Structures are given as structure tokens and as C-alpha cells.
Amino acid sequence: MSDPNPSPTVDYGRNTNRADVLIIGAGISGMTTAIDMIRKGNGRNFIIVEKGNQVGGTWNDQRYPGCCCDVWSHLYSLSFEPNPSWTREYPGQEEILDYLVDLAHKYQLYRHIRFNSSVEEARWDETSYTWKTKIARLGSKDSEFGQDYTITSDFIVSGVGQLNVPKYPDIQGVDSFSGKLMHSARWDWDYDLRDKKIGIIGNGATAAQIIPEIAKVCKSLTVFQRTPNWVIPRDDRPITPMRQAVYKYVPFARRRYRAGLMDFRESFFEVVFDVKSPVHEFMMSASKSHMESQLPGEKYAKLREQLQPHYAVGCKRVIITDDYFPVFTKPNVLLETTPIQEITPNGVKVEGGKDHDFDLLVLATGFKTTQFMYPIKIYGSSGKSIEDIWSSGASAYLGMTVPTLPNFSMLYGPNTNLGHNSIILMIEAQSLYINTLISKVKAAKNSGRKLRIEPKSQVVEKYNSEIQTRLAKSAFADPNCNSWYKNEAGLITNNWADAVIPYQKRTSSINWDDYEISGSGAEVVKAEGTTKWARVIEETQVSNTAILVGLLTTAGAVAAGTLYRNSIRAMLRT
């Protein structure tokens, strides 16, 4: 975008700090919101600020060995931007990042993005009905223009998500280790792993991807396990060029395949919700059989006992892998289940006094998932901070809007994470909902009016009580395990309480009675009562049998028509 004027006159871009919408984060959530603004007629007057150096969010940050997605590739893409050229059933980090970079180029998002920019705080201005957001420049050259500046916007959208800020373990002596220390989310590829003695703290989904890869090259690897995980087969394989061509040139086949994947994943919601369901029992049996097949016989009986969980499937994230269990049969790999006492300058000491010496200590300890928006300071109406609002635990109406935070929304917020399906399905639904809110604020502004929208406190309380009641009956609430789904008090702040489709249906309309709406443009919005739009339908609508019958019927009709025409022609010739 260019502007020949000495003083820039463009409505958006690098040279203005005034926008209709400020989007925090250039990951999947922030990008989807921006793209939907363009697609749905909300314009391009938005600014995206990104702390990192590239789009992609967690898929740009996560670069550890073996990094990949545990959702099928054809389900891990936007419905309106399918990728027929995925090379594997489960996509790797680099392929996902390539997909997101391509999207950013296609929709010309780079002109809106300010990289190496950190949001310090955002304050609602009651007089102007705008947000004033302080941005810190992190890049050394950019900071020469000024250490920080303020963006004024009519609306703020947070796309920072739940997997953003690394969580370091609260273990005595963690800062005393004299060797190389790295968090899995901040992997240092310049460090040579060959012939190194490595310890890894954590054995969740990330660790399960790292461990088999680094075990191939290191001298020794010790895995510190606090709680074992349920593990099921991955069955990853390449997608052949022939299948890629079919998905590209026969879109119906790709859509049908994606719908089948969606149906299959949705059917597993019962696994994490109803611990007495047949599906839950099936998952437990499948996991045990998987371990027994990979660690067979009396030789590995102790290992199987150490790796066998004793809590409900789904309480912690289920690990999908084919190469985790076999790694413990390698002579250079040790599973350590004795609790850690402290980290020493040379390594790790476990209870009982045994010392493990390491060259490298990997912290696969996850993220600060329950501290939503951390470390950004948000101050809404009357100067109330988000910390005060969430003093008893994070909550939001439909996971998106928060009382006393006018004209503010978030994606992948409280109670929107999934344990059974693709989060992109949720993000798309949220983006459409948020863009509807944005459209009302924009329409009021364009007509010379002001508008503020925030959810009613009693509506949010009722909603949160509803989902917490449901979650209390789920596997997520099993007291026999701790997970990143819960906060310190045991409240489940991260996960959604149902399958995807009910959420999509619930977020395909806005009842304006659920919101406090004020300003000179309020009456126009209130008069609508309810605003509805079509949800994205991706589940199977017609069975394979019905399609087959339809094809056979059509083929029969065509054959009959051909025979009839041929017989008529024969009669005419005679």
C-alpha cells in the first residue's frame, strides 16, 4: 500500500495509530477475525499487533523436534480456505505455518501487521467510547523510532489464545542449573544434541513428540514423569499425490472426507464427558491394547505398570502417537517416576537422594493456560481491571465477551478449548460472532453515533453456572489428575462443556437482550431483537448409502434413457 502524500492519509497501515479494530495476535484466531472482516464487509480498517516475528501464533513459536498437530490435517484448516495439498494425515509444524503464511499473503494481511510489538495495557475511554492501547516496540531498530506508542480503536479483539506464555516449573533450584536449559516452546536449534546427556521434565503431548526424536541422537535421555498419560494410536501416513490431486480437482471428495473426519471426532465427545459410556470404555481398552502391543510380555511388565494411568480418559489431554511407548525400550532412555526434589547445578535430584547429571535440561512444562490475557493489563469501564473481574477464575459469555469490558471480544477464551475435535471449528464460529458485534459498532460510527456493547453480568453468571455444572460431571473434573484445563483452585476454566456443533449453533445468533447496549446508536441495535446468520455446516448431511443409492439411481436413469432413445431410433429406421 502506498500513499504519495507528504502526510499519510491512509485509513490503516504502519503510518496511523487510529483504527476501527485492534486485533491482538497474528495466529489463527487473529488472522481468521481479520479475514472475516474483509469477507463480511467490515472493511480493512484494522491493525494487528504481534509479539513474534511472523504470523502463525503457536505454530510459529513451537519449533521443537517432532512438532506436529494431533488433529487431522484436512480438519485443521479454515472451511473457506481448504488445503487439498496436505502431505500427511497429521500435519507438521512447518506445513501448518506454510499454510498460514500463504493465507496472510492471499488476504494481504502483512500490510496490517506490526511484528515485534507487545501490548502492555489497554484502557477504555468512557468519553470517546474508544480503547487506548499502549504498544511497546520490541525490535531494536523499531524502538529507535520510540519505545512505545498508543493505538486508539473502537473495538479490541484478543487472539492471544491459551497456548501463548511458557510455564516454567516451580521446582527448587531451577535457576541454578549450570548446563543448557531450554523450554520446549523456545527451542534452541543451535544447540547440538548429539552425544549429550539430556533430561526432560514433563511427559505430556509436547514431550511425547520431542522424546522419540531426541532419543535418536543423544547419549542418554531421562524422562521425568509425574503422572502417566492415556495414549492411543496415531496411524499417521503420507497422503499420496493421487489423493492430493483428487482433493484438488474433485472438491466434493475433499469436503466429504473432511465431513467424515468431523463426524468421527464429534462422536468421541462422550469419551471426555460420560465416563460410563461405551465410547469411554472403548478408548481405555484401545489405549491399553496399544501399550501392550508396543511393550509386550513380561520383560516390559514394570514399564507398562509405570506408564498406565489411573484416572478417567480425557481428564488430561489424550496423547496420539505411535512412537512414544517404543522409545522406552531403547538402552539410552530411562523413565524416572520418583518425584523431583530439586534441580541442582549438575542436574536433577529426586526424592531419596539420587542424582541425575545432565548437559541439557528440557522443560516440557506447557503454558500459563488459565491466566488468560497474561501479561496484558486490561482496564474496562470505571477503570476495573481484568484481574479484578477474574479474581475467582476466568469466565466469559460464550468464551468471548466479558462484563465491564465494552466493545471487547476474545477468541479461544475461557471454556472454549476442546479435548476431542479441531479448535479451528470453534474459532470460525467465534470470528463470525465477533464480526457481527464489530459491524454494529462500525454502523453506529458511520452514522455519526456512538455505541458500546458488553454482556450483562447476570447473563454471564447464569451461562458460567450452566457450563460449570456440566463440566463437574465430565472426565475433566476427575480429582485423580491435574491438568492445564484447571486453575489452582480446581476450577475448569479452559474446556468447553459440549460438542462442537451445539457451540456453533449457539453462536450463530445474538440475542441483544443478553447485552448492555448504550450510546446514541443503542436503540437501533436493540430494535433488532435477535441477529442471526448461517453457521458453517461441515458435518455429514447425507449418508454414504444415500449418495450411493442416488448415484445408482442416476446411473440407472441415464442407462434407461439411453436404451429408450436407441429403441426409438431403431423403430424409426425400420
Side-chain angles (χ1 to χ4, degrees):
M1 177 184 60
S2 59
D3 188 341
N5 297 287
S7 297
T9 60
V10 293
D11 292 331
Y12 59 90
R14 292 175 59 87
N15 298 317
T16 180
N17 293 328
R18 180 65 172 90
D20 290 342
V21 179
L22 172 63
I23 300 173
I24 305 173
I28 295 175
S29 295
M31 290 176 63
T32 303
T33 304
I35 292 169
D36 275 342
M37 281 191 67
I38 299 166
R39 295 173 66 235
K40 301 300 179 181
N42 277 331
R44 282 186 169 271
N45 194 350
F46 59 84
I47 295 171
I48 304 174
V49 290
E50 167 56 47
K51 194 173 183 179
N53 62 357
Q54 178 57 287
V55 301
T58 193
W59 294 112
N60 181 52
D61 297 339
Q62 308 290 322
R63 305 176 187 180
Y64 57 80
C67 183
C68 58
C69 187
D70 59 5
V71 173
W72 289 303
S73 54
H74 277 276
L75 202 54
Y76 204 80
S77 55
L78 297 171
S79 62
F80 56 88
E81 285 294 344
N83 177 17
S85 302
W86 292 113
T87 62
R88 299 196 67 84
E89 295 289 359
Y90 288 89
Q93 174 264 333
E94 292 185 2
E95 194 166 13
I96 295 172
L97 184 58
D98 286 345
Y99 168 76
L100 296 174
V101 168
D102 288 345
L103 283 184
H105 282 298
K106 178 176 179 177
Y107 288 93
Q108 301 179 25
L109 297 184
Y110 282 104
R111 65 176 65 178
H112 299 269
I113 304 174
R114 302 179 184 184
F115 293 110
N116 301 309
S117 300
S118 173
V119 176
E120 300 294 294
E121 69 170 41
R123 290 183 179 269
W124 172 254
D125 186 330
E126 199 67 56
T127 303
S128 61
Y129 278 31
T130 59
W131 284 95
K132 309 290 187 181
T133 305
K134 182 181 177 182
I135 310 295
R137 293 185 174 99
L138 303 180
S140 59
K141 187 172 184 179
D142 280 349
S143 65
E144 293 176 10
F145 293 88
Q147 293 293 323
D148 54 61
Y149 61 95
T150 299
I151 293 176
T152 301
S153 63
D154 304 307
F155 205 102
I156 285 184
V157 178
S158 169
V160 300
Q162 300 181 17
L163 308 178
N164 180 35
V165 181
K167 179 181 180 181
Y168 288 83
D170 184 18
I171 300 175
Q172 181 182 337
V174 69
D175 295 324
S176 69
F177 182 59
S178 60
K180 176 71 173 180
L181 184 78
M182 69 171 82
H183 193 282
S184 58
R186 301 293 183 263
W187 195 267
D188 182 2
W189 279 95
D190 290 329
Y191 186 80
D192 190 352
L193 303 177
R194 289 174 294 183
D195 298 322
K196 297 295 194 301
K197 293 182 292 182
I198 302 175
I200 181 166
I201 298 176
N203 63 307
T206 295
Q209 294 178 357
I210 295 174
I211 290 167
E213 295 301 315
I214 64 177
K216 298 174 184 177
V217 296
C218 67
K219 180 178 182 180
S220 67
L221 175 62
T222 302
V223 179
F224 292 92
Q225 173 185 279
R226 183 172 58 180
T227 309
N229 292 281
W230 290 100
V231 179
I232 60 174
R234 184 176 181 84
D235 195 28
D236 187 22
R237 62 188 67 185
I239 298 176
T240 65
M242 176 64 74
R243 280 180 63 196
Q244 293 178 41
V246 169
Y247 294 147
K248 181 177 182 179
Y249 296 110
V250 188
F252 171 78
R254 175 188 46 73
R255 289 194 298 269
R256 187 70 183 175
Y257 181 56
R258 179 176 169 115
L261 298 177
M262 164 80 166
D263 294 345
F264 186 82
R265 281 297 184 109
E266 279 289 83
S267 70
F268 274 85
F269 170 70
E270 287 187 30
V271 170
V272 296
F273 198 80
D274 185 357
V275 296
K276 297 181 180 179
S277 69
V279 183
H280 190 92
E281 293 296 326
F282 170 77
M283 184 69 80
M284 291 178 64
S285 176
S287 178
K288 292 176 181 178
S289 297
H290 184 46
M291 178 162 52
E292 289 169 0
S293 67
Q294 295 193 318
L295 299 172
E298 187 63 28
K299 180 180 180 180
Y300 299 117
K302 183 180 178 181
L303 261 179
R304 292 197 302 273
E305 182 181 345
Q306 292 175 312
L307 293 166
Q308 178 60 56
H310 298 285
Y311 53 84
V313 176
C315 180
K316 296 164 71 76
R317 190 169 186 88
V318 175
I319 295 175
I320 307 175
T321 177
D322 292 325
D323 51 6
Y324 179 65
F325 288 143
V327 80
F328 293 105
T329 66
K330 292 179 174 290
N332 66 330
V333 178
L334 171 69
L335 177 64
E336 177 60 88
T337 59
T338 306
I340 295 174
Q341 179 176 315
E342 64 175 328
I343 295 176
T344 67
N346 295 324
V348 174
K349 177 181 288 187
V350 297
E351 292 181 3
K354 182 179 180 181
D355 285 298
H356 296 271
D357 293 343
F358 300 117
D359 302 304
L360 166 66
L361 196 55
V362 177
L363 307 177
T365 47
F367 300 86
K368 295 182 177 181
T369 55
T370 60
Q371 299 179 37
F372 296 87
M373 300 300 300
Y374 178 86
I376 302 171
K377 306 293 184 182
I378 308 288
Y379 300 92
S381 55
S382 303
K384 193 171 186 179
S385 71
I386 200 166
E387 288 91 347
D388 291 336
I389 298 169
W390 286 345
S391 58
S392 299
S395 64
Y397 186 46
L398 300 171
M400 291 182 278
T401 57
V402 182
T404 74
L405 298 184
N407 300 359
F408 171 91
S409 293
M410 60 178 67
L411 298 95
Y412 198 22
N415 295 114
T416 60
N417 183 60
L418 299 175
H420 72 289
N421 213 331
S422 173
I423 193 61
I424 291 182
L425 304 171
M426 303 285 277
I427 289 172
E428 282 200 53
Q430 293 162 4
S431 177
L432 294 175
Y433 189 101
I434 291 169
N435 264 278
T436 302
L437 296 174
I438 291 171
S439 70
K440 301 305 178 186
V441 175
K442 280 179 57 68
K445 179 182 177 181
N446 292 339
S447 62
R449 298 184 176 91
K450 294 195 294 186
L451 184 68
R452 57 174 282 174
I453 306 171
E454 62 183 86
K456 295 177 178 177
S457 295
Q458 62 269 30
V459 170
V460 180
E461 290 171 6
K462 181 181 178 182
Y463 167 79
N464 197 47
S465 176
E466 172 199 336
I467 61 172
Q468 289 299 331
T469 298
R470 286 181 56 82
L471 287 169
K473 302 173 184 177
S474 71
F476 303 138
D478 190 331
N480 295 312
C481 85
N482 294 316
S483 73
W484 60 266
Y485 304 152
K486 307 173 187 176
N487 66 9
E488 290 78 3
L491 184 70
I492 302 170
T493 56
N494 291 65
N495 282 15
W496 169 234
D498 211 329
V500 171
I501 295 173
Y503 184 84
Q504 291 176 325
K505 291 179 177 178
R506 195 162 184 170
T507 55
S508 61
S509 66
I510 298 177
N511 180 352
W512 295 109
D513 285 340
D514 292 340
Y515 285 86
E516 297 281 3
I517 305 172
S518 58
S520 54
E523 295 307 315
V524 176
V525 178
K526 291 178 180 179
E528 287 191 23
T530 301
T531 301
K532 300 180 179 181
W533 56 93
R535 76 176 179 91
V536 178
I537 299 175
E538 297 198 78
E539 69 273 17
T540 300
Q541 298 293 296
V542 182
S543 68
N544 290 329
T545 301
I547 292 175
L548 180 59
V549 170
L551 290 173
L552 291 174
T553 302
T554 301
V558 170
T562 302
L563 290 172
Y564 176 74
R565 287 191 297 273
N566 289 340
S567 63
I568 292 295
R569 292 193 188 101
M571 290 173 62
L572 291 174
R573 283 198 297 269
T574 59

